[in-house]
């Protein structure tokens, strides 16, 4: 069309170390390859769009953050196809955590057969936490399901010694965000708040214990994978 809408692309990465980053190019075929020199009025019009763009995304982030100010641990399922270009086959999760040093949130997620799912943590400004140096998010590749098919993720401020720990990096309050893409089950996770001392009683007996050395090794591998991803 004469005035096409902007295009936004998102590349999903599950196995950071093993996957190859895609490369993409985009060209207009209905005009000559050599573009004419930019005219001053066109440059001015484009620059005037910058504050509009900034205002739009700041308002969107504030709105999403305000929407997640409900009771800590409560899960909301969001449809973002109407106003934010979300995928029709994708359901978004959001909520808020508020934890003392001796507490944890236990997520029980049952996505079934799923193209992609993830859950990650953010601070109260909706900024994703340090994903390169801390395990602040997991997905269907990096997490292993229990024998009953459920993924049990643990949000805590200190390491509880389980593989599926989501590290708040010292924050006691913040947001959690997630996506379920083309999953058999788009049901909300079951979330429970409990004392860290009681965590093992709520996990399957076969849940492994992660030692400090094993955590160190997994974080180094995570950092390597993060360094291989393309970022702004």
């Amino acid at each position: 069309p004469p005035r096409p809408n902007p295009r936004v692309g998102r590349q999903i990465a599950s196995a950071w170390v093993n996957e190859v980053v895609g490369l993409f190019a985009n060209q207009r075929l209905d005009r000559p390859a050599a573009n004419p020199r930019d005219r001053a009025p066109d440059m001015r019009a484009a620059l005037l769009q910058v504050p509009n763009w900034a205002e739009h995304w700041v308002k969107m982030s504030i709105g999403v953050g305000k929407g997640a100010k409900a009771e800590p641990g409560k899960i909301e399922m969001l449809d973002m196809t109407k106003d934010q270009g979300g995928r029709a086959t994708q359901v978004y999760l959001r909520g808020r955590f508020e934890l003392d040093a001796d507490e944890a949130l236990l997520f029980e997620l049952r996505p079934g057969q799923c193209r992609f799912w993830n859950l990650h943590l953010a601070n109260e400004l909706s900024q994703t936490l340090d994903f390169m140096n801390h395990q602040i998010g997991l997905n269907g590749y990096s997490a292993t399901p229990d024998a009953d098919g459920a993924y049990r993720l643990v949000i805590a401020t200190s390491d509880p010694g389980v593989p599926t720990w989501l590290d708040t990096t010292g924050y006691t309050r913040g947001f959690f965000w997630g996506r379920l893409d083309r999953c058999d089950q788009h049901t909300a996770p079951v979330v429970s708040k409990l004392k860290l001392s009681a965590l093992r009683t709520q996990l399957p007996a076969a849940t492994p214990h992660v030692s400090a050395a094993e955590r160190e090794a997994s974080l180094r591998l995570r950092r390597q994978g993060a360094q291989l991803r393309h970022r702004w």
Side-chain angles (χ1 to χ4, degrees):
R3 296 184 61 82
N5 292 326
R7 286 184 176 179
V8 176
R10 171 174 284 147
Q11 187 169 183
I12 295 173
S14 296
W16 293 359
V17 174
N18 302 326
E19 292 177 348
V20 177
V21 177
L23 299 176
F24 305 91
N26 185 45
Q27 295 197 52
R28 290 282 297 265
L29 301 180
D30 60 340
R31 58 178 57 176
N35 287 333
R37 177 182 174 184
D38 290 331
R39 298 167 53 249
D42 296 334
M43 294 176 65
R44 183 176 186 274
L47 288 172
L48 288 175
Q49 292 301 311
V50 173
N52 294 334
W53 181 90
E55 182 180 12
H56 168 78
W57 286 103
V58 168
K59 284 183 176 179
M60 189 195 78
S61 297
I62 291 174
V64 172
K66 285 182 176 179
K69 291 289 187 181
E71 179 184 352
K74 180 181 177 181
I75 295 283
E76 293 181 271
M77 309 287 281
L78 304 177
D79 176 6
M80 294 189 176
T81 58
K82 298 178 181 178
D83 61 347
Q84 296 178 38
R87 291 169 49 82
T89 60
Q90 186 164 259
V91 173
Y92 294 79
L93 308 174
R94 77 172 174 192
R96 186 165 62 93
F97 68 86
E98 187 171 318
L99 296 168
D100 291 333
D102 63 343
E103 294 178 325
L105 280 182
L106 175 60
F107 277 72
E108 185 177 309
L109 178 65
R110 297 176 181 270
Q113 292 296 316
C114 193
R115 178 174 181 263
F116 177 82
W117 70 262
N118 85 304
L119 188 75
H120 70 273
L121 304 182
N123 62 23
E124 291 185 286
L125 298 177
S126 300
Q127 297 169 323
T128 300
L129 301 184
D130 183 0
F131 65 88
M132 179 177 288
N133 301 300
H134 297 266
Q135 186 170 279
I136 62 93
L138 290 169
N139 58 51
Y141 175 85
S142 56
T144 301
D146 293 321
D148 61 356
Y151 294 87
R152 292 177 173 86
L153 314 180
V154 180
I155 299 178
T157 60
S158 60
D159 192 345
V162 297
T164 53
W165 174 40
L166 295 184
D167 183 0
T168 70
T169 70
Y171 286 94
T172 58
R173 297 184 299 179
F175 296 139
F176 52 82
W177 306 96
R179 295 180 178 87
L180 298 168
D181 189 68
R182 300 184 190 177
C183 297
D184 290 346
Q185 302 179 45
H186 279 171
T187 55
V190 176
V191 183
S192 54
K193 189 175 185 178
L194 67 163
K195 295 293 185 180
L196 277 172
S197 58
L199 177 61
R200 285 283 174 176
T201 67
Q202 302 301 312
L203 296 175
T207 301
H209 173 76
V210 178
S211 67
E214 290 170 330
R215 185 72 73 192
E216 176 77 6
S218 68
L219 288 177
R220 288 189 179 277
L221 187 63
R222 181 184 184 90
R223 181 185 294 131
Q224 177 185 337
Q227 290 173 341
L228 295 174
R229 311 315 304 173
H230 283 185
R231 299 185 304 281
W232 290 294

